[in-house]
Amino acid sequence: MALVVFIVLFSVLPVGRLLLAAFDDGLAGFWQVIDAPDVWRATRNTLVVALGSGGLAMLVGTGFALVLSVTTIRAATALAFLMVLSLMIAPQISALAFKTLFGPASPLLKLAGLAPAPGTPNPMLGQFGIILVMGLHHAPLVAITLASGLASIPRPLIEAARLEGAHPRQVVAWILLPLLRPFLLTAALLVFVAGAGNFGIPAMLGLPVGYVTLPTLLFRKLASFGPGGINDAAAISVLIAAIACAGVLAAGAVLARATNRLEADHRLEPFWELGRWRPVVEFAVWAFVALTILLPLASLLATSLVPAYGVRLSWASLTFAQYAEVLFRQDLTVRAFRNSTLLAGGTALSLAVITLVSAHVLDRLKPKPRTLAFALIELPYAVPGIVLAIACILLFIKPLPLIGISIYATPWIILFAYHARFYAIALKPVLAAMATLDEAVQEAAVCDGAGLRHRLRHIVLPLVFPAVFAGMLMVFLLAFNELTVSALLWSAGTETLGVALLSLEDSGLGSEAAAVAVSATLMVLALMLAMQALARRLPPDALPWQALAGRGQRRS
């Protein structure tokens, strides 16, 4: 019963309310909203950046997955960790990092004497920059998806090909890639969906030059016209959700067929001995990581250490004043750090309890009801965050029935949206851990008369606590830097870090925005390191960078 309540509350009600508002005037009214020049233009831009960034993500992600999984490259875990770190960093922070790196005011380019002339347009603003940053940001999604496919390929198949004299290059081309075809298609669909629903990167790099995608169009329409245009916003939200859900459903169907076909008793291990080429390959991979991940972050750090954006970094100009300003003195940022910490922490703690109960129930359901229940749980995470925000506004803009209290324009609406958004993320590791438990232990407790609450608290929780804690950290990590949902749900006094960062950048306070971004990135790094410390107590591949590096694989 509890599981049904959670699913109805966090999935069915928001999505159902969105659909009712979108079709309030029937199909004719829905089409009238959609059939507008600005919507078609934004749709075209959305498809262009989703396809372009998806192609780049496929190229980069596939290369990384193969290098880390099949070659004897060293420090694979460190490379995978940095790769996933770039994904876990908020999209708007990645966009800001590239924006500060390549503009004429770039402190790093000025330090190297390579800065463009003042007044030169920033090449990151517009379609090219959005595609580049979004492609690099989503490349780890491709790599993680392909890593799961590589893990399912039987090792004896590769060993047989090698014994027959096949070169590693031939094994990759003739065996691995054909077997990975469903996973490649799945990865392509996932990055397309992620690109179509991304708000942070187009907001940072597109809105300043008038390049509008569907998520940013939705943001502008609601910000300009307020709650009065909510039905129009709902119609556009359904269009975005339809694009996203079509991709997610197709990806799920392809992946289900692939996992049914490939079952590995012996996990794939690196078989491509690089020999004398290993230093060259390692230099190339680390150089790429440095240029696409570390250098933009270094630019962000440099921007935060100068008194104003555009000042040349030197020992004379070096200052930590921006950090003192955003962490201790400026009301907006201090409040944003507090709000994000409380909202993310509250969501993580309550979802720990909810997922423990949910996983216990799901683990005992038959396959078909379990699949349906998890699909409904995953729905609010599958749709773009800005669509979920519109659904929450529609659901709570009027006072709640019976009690007559409205949570609209309060922190509670953001908290509700975070629960709906990250429910599936918190549930996955707990469900995986629950599947490994020995049923005899709980059956013995039932025979002794122990109730459900006692069993969950004293038997199940101690056994699955590492997975519960990992889920909590993952939820906190994602919610702490979240922008897409809170961009439409915040009100005066409830600003989150994502909102504060966007506001500072819009106000021309680039150094302060960079200081906020660096502080948030350090928080993400600390949480990922804490999760790494738990790695040995978690189910296999529970951490994405462990799955990408190939836990248990031999590295020479």
Side-chain angles (χ1 to χ4, degrees):
M1 184 61 184
L3 179 63
V4 174
V5 171
F6 296 146
I7 291 175
V8 170
L9 185 62
F10 296 136
S11 299
V12 177
L13 283 179
V15 175
R17 185 65 186 89
L18 178 68
L19 292 173
L20 286 175
F23 295 100
D24 189 46
D25 296 325
L27 285 173
F30 174 81
W31 180 251
Q32 186 177 1
V33 175
I34 298 303
D35 190 24
D38 58 343
V39 176
W40 285 116
R41 184 166 54 251
T43 302
R44 183 182 67 249
N45 292 342
T46 300
L47 294 176
V48 167
V49 299
L51 291 170
S53 65
L56 177 60
M58 289 296 295
L59 182 65
V60 175
T62 302
F64 259 91
L66 291 175
V67 167
L68 294 180
S69 296
V70 308
T71 74
T72 55
I73 190 172
R74 292 168 292 190
T77 301
L79 285 166
F81 186 90
L82 289 173
M83 190 77 171
V84 176
L85 175 65
S86 71
L87 176 66
M88 293 301 178
I89 294 172
Q92 65 272 13
I93 292 179
S94 297
L96 182 62
F98 276 88
K99 184 179 177 181
T100 61
L101 176 61
F102 289 103
S106 169
L108 281 189
L109 292 184
K110 285 191 171 186
L111 184 64
L114 299 174
T120 303
N122 191 319
M124 290 295 103
L125 295 179
Q127 180 176 288
F128 170 78
I130 295 172
I131 290 175
L132 175 65
V133 177
M134 196 181 291
L136 294 174
H137 185 72
H138 291 154
L141 285 175
V142 176
I144 293 167
T145 303
L146 295 186
S148 66
L150 287 164
S152 68
I153 294 177
R155 191 171 69 212
L157 186 65
I158 306 302
E159 292 173 348
R162 296 288 289 133
L163 288 173
E164 291 293 326
H167 188 276
R169 188 185 306 108
Q170 295 172 312
V171 174
V172 171
W174 297 347
I175 298 177
L176 290 188
L177 289 180
L179 289 175
L180 286 175
R181 200 169 294 152
F183 293 90
L184 287 165
L185 180 57
T186 299
L189 290 167
L190 288 177
V191 292
F192 171 79
V193 169
N198 191 288
F199 171 75
I201 294 173
M204 278 284 185
L205 302 180
L207 285 181
V209 292
Y211 191 87
V212 179
T213 61
L214 281 173
T216 53
L217 174 67
L218 187 58
F219 173 76
R220 283 174 56 168
K221 278 186 174 293
L222 204 61
S224 301
F225 301 107
I230 193 69
N231 283 4
D232 290 356
I236 299 174
S237 297
V238 168
L239 176 61
I240 302 172
I243 295 172
C245 287
V248 170
L249 290 173
V254 171
L255 196 58
R257 287 198 297 271
T259 52
N260 287 337
R261 192 175 64 206
L262 293 175
E263 293 182 3
D265 295 327
H266 304 284
R267 187 183 181 116
L268 180 71
E269 292 188 355
F271 58 85
W272 195 329
E273 294 288 342
L274 296 175
R276 61 190 178 89
W277 289 100
R278 185 162 71 176
V280 177
V281 173
E282 289 176 344
F283 176 80
V285 173
W286 278 104
F288 184 84
V289 168
L291 288 173
T292 59
I293 300 174
L294 301 180
L295 188 60
L297 292 177
S299 174
L300 204 59
L301 177 62
T303 304
S304 70
L305 294 176
V306 293
Y309 185 47
V311 175
R312 185 178 183 274
L313 180 64
S314 65
W315 286 113
S317 64
L318 183 67
T319 177
F320 292 93
Q322 312 300 348
Y323 289 94
E325 179 70 19
V326 300
L327 294 176
F328 304 110
R329 291 199 293 265
Q330 192 173 106
D331 288 342
L332 170 64
T333 51
V334 171
R335 190 166 58 242
F337 271 101
R338 182 182 66 243
N339 290 340
S340 288
T341 302
L342 291 175
L343 289 167
T347 303
L349 286 172
S350 60
L351 279 179
V353 178
I354 291 171
T355 53
L356 180 65
V357 177
S358 301
H360 185 270
V361 176
L362 284 169
D363 189 53
R364 282 153 178 75
L365 288 178
K366 293 181 179 179
K368 286 186 178 180
R370 182 169 61 242
T371 302
L372 175 61
F374 193 78
L376 290 173
I377 290 170
E378 206 165 25
L379 184 58
Y381 187 74
V383 300
I386 203 159
V387 173
L388 177 63
I390 296 293
C392 290
I393 292 173
L394 288 163
L395 191 60
F396 296 116
I397 197 167
K398 294 180 179 179
L400 296 172
L402 302 179
I403 59 176
I405 298 175
S406 174
I407 66 171
Y408 180 70
T410 71
W412 297 105
I413 191 172
I414 301 178
L415 192 66
F416 175 89
Y418 282 2
H419 276 74
R421 182 77 170 159
F422 303 121
Y423 185 8
I425 297 296
L427 180 61
K428 285 181 179 180
V430 185
L431 196 57
M434 197 75 71
T436 65
L437 296 185
D438 187 354
E439 286 294 325
V441 177
Q442 293 196 61
E443 289 173 1
V446 171
C447 292
D448 286 340
L452 177 60
R453 184 186 303 176
H454 180 86
R455 296 199 308 273
L456 287 176
R457 180 179 177 183
H458 297 289
I459 299 175
V460 176
L461 179 58
L463 294 173
V464 302
F465 180 75
V468 172
F469 190 66
M472 288 172 58
L473 288 178
M474 187 67 75
V475 168
F476 186 92
L477 189 152
L478 293 170
F480 185 72
N481 280 318
E482 197 281 329
L483 169 65
T484 311
V485 172
S486 55
L488 292 181
L489 298 181
W490 74 276
S491 56
T494 66
E495 301 92 344
T496 62
L497 272 181
V499 173
L501 182 66
L502 196 59
S503 299
L504 290 171
E505 180 65 14
D506 283 344
S507 303
L509 301 173
S511 294
E512 286 86 347
V516 171
V518 170
S519 301
T521 301
L522 290 176
M523 176 70 81
V524 170
L525 178 61
L527 288 173
M528 287 180 63
L529 291 173
M531 294 169 70
Q532 176 64 26
L534 286 172
R536 292 188 177 184
R537 300 186 62 189
L538 296 175
D541 297 341
L543 300 179
W545 55 92
Q546 291 283 356
L548 180 55
R551 172 189 268 188
Q553 292 184 1
R554 293 192 300 268
R555 300 290 177 193
S556 21

